């Protein structure tokens, strides 16, 4: 990067350029004026000593002011606080350094050594954190995307990277619990050997049948082998691996959701209501491109326009008459009926595609291409519905006379319901059709999830290289053509792309029990999706002119992931708890839970083999007598968190008051500076106006 000289100019007045005040008098006046600051006078009743005693040694503002305002906490951290983190001038930092050196002889060798070690450890941890953050994949790419398109588009790629890392963790757990023990201890003697037979073809890798059906990708490969102890066997390890994945994922997703919600709750009101915050704190300092800087200007301008539109909408909404309200509610009622009709039609299409896919007829009567299309007919239908209906929902919400924020939220809620409900309807029909099959039920269900993952990746690939890229070339080569004007420029719609990621990850969580290597397939497809979307954003898309507020925070994204995870847990629980008929021998002859075993039989045998104290403990934990202390413990924990939240709220209010007082100090100092300059010109006629005003103010209690 070339070094460019930046000229910083400040506004100069005639008084400021012709000041005759010497440096000695300014230093003496600043010492005298410190006790006259509004913040010092407001906090004087709370101080335990006089100002002359508190500041006789010439303390540096930034250390002692912290002690005066926050009496607990920062007093102990100030001596070990690095100088570069202090918001004071260079001369003040030098004074602090000299004072710390003088204090070493007073505090003793042991305390001085502990303080120096604490500072050294903080520096080491900061350097290690910076080095580890530099090792994160695609860091430079994310920085470039943020510089050109802002934080909203970057949030999508950050979520995509998070899902890749999450699936890598899933792969490690699956290898440790499922794949590793099966490879080390072997499978049952009745298992078929894994080799490419004469009836296998390349088409099996797209359909999940044949050779791939017998491979470690699917459920039936993991049959019990030589590891056959009562509490350490293949079925228990398989179940423990899946439950560990779901439980650990729940903890990680809930943690990221709550942390993001905490920051959004603290800053949400400021962002949505305070216009001064948008003007003075809305700039993105990571922008490097001049075009991106111009675009950021338009973002801020459009955000202010959006704020004014919402205010005018609120005023217009308050002025509606009774007849207008009735007509509007009737219009919204019919539009919601239209939305429900579209959802019903989408669900019927999924049902029709599932029936056609399962009705294969006699094998060998159809060509391989027809078989491939019929097998992928449900994924094609689901992708078509999920691609078309969200845009229709966005058009419908524009006719409902909502504010822009409410239109976006209504579209997102309908789109989330569409994607998760379409997947749920498909799973319901699949469970219904697979009951009459003579093959392994879990393998057939895992095959459907495998096809959904493969087709989602193919859809992303074709959308980028066969739709977006030709559209961009048409805009570049023939910008004045009718097709280019009708098609318009391609924008990266963050909400809809995030919904696609949530859908893909939900499919992976639903199918991990039936297809254990699905997270590994997810790592490969998500990594390829990252580079595909990177090409689509940087080469084919332009930044959206109207900012989506929900994209500035990842809370909504992780909440969608949480809904998908809950749906996966519900699907797994429904499949495990559903009654199984002993007559259907095909459902008991495959996978780790074969030969009449199920989850409850295996765990029951393990519990019965434990010693009596362990059995009594587990029986007590499973009884209703344990519910009362558990509820009491939850009440205590929730009470402590509520108390901490209230204390933090009080601290936030105090910090807000400190900000107000600091602005009062600035106004007071500006008035004093102006009065001082005028007094130097006219020493007999001008009295310090700020001091006079301060004397007229009544004392604060």
């Amino acid at each position: 990067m070339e070094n460019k000289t930046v000229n910083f100019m400040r506004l100069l007045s005639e008084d400021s350029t012709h000041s005759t005040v010497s440096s000695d008098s300014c230093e003496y006046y600043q010492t005298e004026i410190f006790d006259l600051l509004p913040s010092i006078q407001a906090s004087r009743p709370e101080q335990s000593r006089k100002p002359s005693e508190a500041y006789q040694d010439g303390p540096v503002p930034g250390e002692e002011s912290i002690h005066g305002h926050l009496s607990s906490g920062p007093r102990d951290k100030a001596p070990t606080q690095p100088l570069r983190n202090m918001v004071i001038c260079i001369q003040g930092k030098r004074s602090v350094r000299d004072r710390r050196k003088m204090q070493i002889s007073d505090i003793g060798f042991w305390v001085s050594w502990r303080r120096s070690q604490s500072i050294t450890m903080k520096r080491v941890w900061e350097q290690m954190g910076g080095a580890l953050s530099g090792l994160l994949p695609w860091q430079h790419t994310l920085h470039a995307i943020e510089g050109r398109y802002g934080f909203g588009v970057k949030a999508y790629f950050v979520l995509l990277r998070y899902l890749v890392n999450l699936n890598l963790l899933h792969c490690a757990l699956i290898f440790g619990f499922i794949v590793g023990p099966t490879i080390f201890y072997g499978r049952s003697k009745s298992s078929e050997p894994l080799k490419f037979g004469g009836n296998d073809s390349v088409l099996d890798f797209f359909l999940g049948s044949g050779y791939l059906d017998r491979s470690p990708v699917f459920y039936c490969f993991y049959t019990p082998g030589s590891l056959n102890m009562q509490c350490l066997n293949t079925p228990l390890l398989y179940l423990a691996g899946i439950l560990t994945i779901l439980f650990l994922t729940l903890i990680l997703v809930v943690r990221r959701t709550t942390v993001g919600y905490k920051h959004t709750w603290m800053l949400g009101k400021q962002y949505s209501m305070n216009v001064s915050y948008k003007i003075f704190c809305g700039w993105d300092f990571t922008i490097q491109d001049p075009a991106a800087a111009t675009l950021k200007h338009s973002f801020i301008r459009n955000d202010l326009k959006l704020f004014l539109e919402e205010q005018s909408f609120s005023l217009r909404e308050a002025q509606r008459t009774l007849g207008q309200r009735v007509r509007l509610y009737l219009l919204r009622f019919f539009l919601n009926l239209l939305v429900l009709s579209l959802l019903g039609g989408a669900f019927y299409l999924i049902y029709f595609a599932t029936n056609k896919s399962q009705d294969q007829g006699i094998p060998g009567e159809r060509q391989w291409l027809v078989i491939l299309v019929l097998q992928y007919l449900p994924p094609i239908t689901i992708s078509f519905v999920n691609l078309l209906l969200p845009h229709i929902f966005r058009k419908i919400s524009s006719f409902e006379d909502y504010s822009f924020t409410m239109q976006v939220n209504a579209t997102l809620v309908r789109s989330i319901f569409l994607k998760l409900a379409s997947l749920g309807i498909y799973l319901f029909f699949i469970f219904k059709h697979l009951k009459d099959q003579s093959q392994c039920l879990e393998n057939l269900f895992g095959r459907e999830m495998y096809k959904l993952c493969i087709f989602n990746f193919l859809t992303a690939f074709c959308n980028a290289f066969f739709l977006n890229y030709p559209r961009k070339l048409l805009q570049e080569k023939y910008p004045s053509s009718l097709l280019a004007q009708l098609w318009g420029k391609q924008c990266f719609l963050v909400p809809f792309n995030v919904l696609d990621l949530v859908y893909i990850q939900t499919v992976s969580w639903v199918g991990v029990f039936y297809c254990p290597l699905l997270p590994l397939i997810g790592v490969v497809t998500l990594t390829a999706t990252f580079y595909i979307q990177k090409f689509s954003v940087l080469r084919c898309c332009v930044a959206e002119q109207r900012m989506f507020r929900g994209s500035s925070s990842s809370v909504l994204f992780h909440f969608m992931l949480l809904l998908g995870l809950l749906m996966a847990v519900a699907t797994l629980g429904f499949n495990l708890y559903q009654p199984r008929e002993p007559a259907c021998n095909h459902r008991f002859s495959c996978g780790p839970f074969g030969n009449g075993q199920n989850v409850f039989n295996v765990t029951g045998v393990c519990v019965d083999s434990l010693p009596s104290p362990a059995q009594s403990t587990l029986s007590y934990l499973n009884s209703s007598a344990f519910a009362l202390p558990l509820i009491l413990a939850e009440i205590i924990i929730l009470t402590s968190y509520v108390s901490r939240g209230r204390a933090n709220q009080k601290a936030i209010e105090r910090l807000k008051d400190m900000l107000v007082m600091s602005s009062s100090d600035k106004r007071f100092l500006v008035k004093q500076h102006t009065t001082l300059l005028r007094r130097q010109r006219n020493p007999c006629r001008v009295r310090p106006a700020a001091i006079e005003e301060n004397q007229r103010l009544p004392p604060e209690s």
Side-chain angles (χ1 to χ4, degrees), residues 5 14 72 102 138 143 155 181 249 273 295 310 472 477 523 528 554 566 584 614 619 622 671 681:
T5 304
E14 183 180 358
S72 62
M102 293 176 62
W138 306 312
H143 185 68
T249 304
M273 297 181 63
L295 188 62
E310 290 181 350
K472 181 65 176 179
K477 300 296 183 181
V523 170
S554 59
L566 294 178
C584 300
S619 177
N622 196 26
K671 291 179 181 180
R681 289 187 173 186

Side-chain angles (χ1 to χ4, degrees), residues 20 80 85 95 109 119 175 317 360-361 407 436 555 561 693:
T20 59
T80 61
N85 294 341
S95 302
F109 174 76
I119 295 175
F175 183 82
E317 186 180 16
Q360 295 282 330
Q407 291 179 17
D436 302 330
V555 181
L561 280 177
E693 181 183 354

Side-chain angles (χ1 to χ4, degrees), residues 504-525:
I504 294 172
Q505 190 59 42
T506 303
V507 171
S508 178
W509 285 331
V510 170
V512 68
F513 182 81
Y514 315 97
C515 183
L517 293 189
L518 202 58
L520 180 61
I521 299 172
V523 170
V524 177
T525 55

Side-chain angles (χ1 to χ4, degrees), residues 423-483:
L423 181 59
I425 292 295
Y426 177 61
L427 295 178
F428 174 76
F429 291 145
I430 284 296
F431 275 126
K432 183 179 179 181
H433 282 282
L434 293 182
K435 287 182 179 180
D436 302 330
Q437 298 292 331
S438 59
Q439 302 178 12
C440 181
L441 173 64
E442 285 79 7
N443 256 34
L444 294 176
F445 188 82
R447 189 185 301 175
E448 299 297 328
M449 299 299 103
Y450 173 82
K451 289 188 291 185
L452 282 177
C453 289
I454 296 299
F455 188 77
N456 285 327
F457 171 71
L458 295 178
T459 302
F461 180 85
C462 296
N463 187 35
F465 292 101
F466 297 106
L467 184 62
N468 293 338
Y469 188 59
R471 182 176 179 179
K472 181 65 176 179
L473 292 179
L474 181 64
Q475 291 288 338
E476 292 178 351
K477 300 296 183 181
Y478 308 100
S480 60
S481 63
L482 180 61
L483 183 59

Side-chain angles (χ1 to χ4, degrees), residues 576-676:
L576 293 179
Y577 278 91
Q578 65 177 345
R580 298 192 173 192
E581 300 177 2
C584 300
N585 295 326
H586 64 277
R587 304 181 69 179
F588 293 88
S589 60
C590 65
F593 300 100
N595 299 323
Q597 293 180 342
N598 55 29
V599 176
F600 307 101
N601 293 339
V602 174
T603 55
V605 171
C606 178
V607 170
D608 293 338
S609 64
L610 295 176
S612 298
Q615 293 185 18
S616 301
T617 303
L618 292 177
S619 177
Y620 173 72
L621 294 177
N622 196 26
S623 64
S624 58
F626 180 69
L628 181 59
L630 181 62
I631 293 174
L632 291 177
E634 291 178 353
I635 291 175
I636 294 173
I637 294 174
L638 290 177
T639 304
S640 65
Y641 273 102
V642 170
S643 301
R644 288 178 57 185
R646 291 178 179 176
N648 293 333
Q649 182 66 25
K650 292 180 180 179
I652 291 172
E653 295 298 331
R654 290 188 63 187
L655 291 174
K656 289 180 180 180
D657 294 338
M658 290 174 60
L659 289 176
V660 173
M661 296 307 298
S662 86
S663 63
S664 301
D665 292 344
K666 292 176 183 179
R667 289 194 297 268
F668 177 80
L669 292 175
V670 168
K671 291 179 181 180
Q672 285 297 108
H673 182 262
T674 306
T675 305
L676 179 63

Side-chain angles (χ1 to χ4, degrees), residues 316-332:
R316 189 173 67 252
E317 186 180 16
Q319 295 176 351
R320 287 173 183 167
T321 62
L322 180 61
Q324 292 176 348
R325 292 176 183 272
V326 171
R327 287 194 297 269
L328 181 60
Y329 291 153
L330 288 176
L331 177 62
R332 290 176 181 177

Side-chain angles (χ1 to χ4, degrees), residues 166-184 216-219 221-222 234 236-246 248-249 505 508-523:
L166 192 63
N167 281 279
L168 284 175
L169 178 62
H170 295 171
C171 292
L173 292 174
I174 286 174
F175 183 82
F177 280 93
I178 301 175
V179 180
T182 303
I183 295 176
F184 185 77
V217 176
F218 291 104
Y219 172 88
F221 178 82
Y222 303 96
T234 301
L236 279 180
L237 288 176
Y238 193 94
L239 181 63
I242 300 301
L243 293 181
T244 303
I245 288 174
L246 295 177
L248 189 60
T249 304
Q505 190 59 42
S508 178
W509 285 331
V510 170
V512 68
F513 182 81
Y514 315 97
C515 183
L517 293 189
L518 202 58
L520 180 61
I521 299 172
V523 170

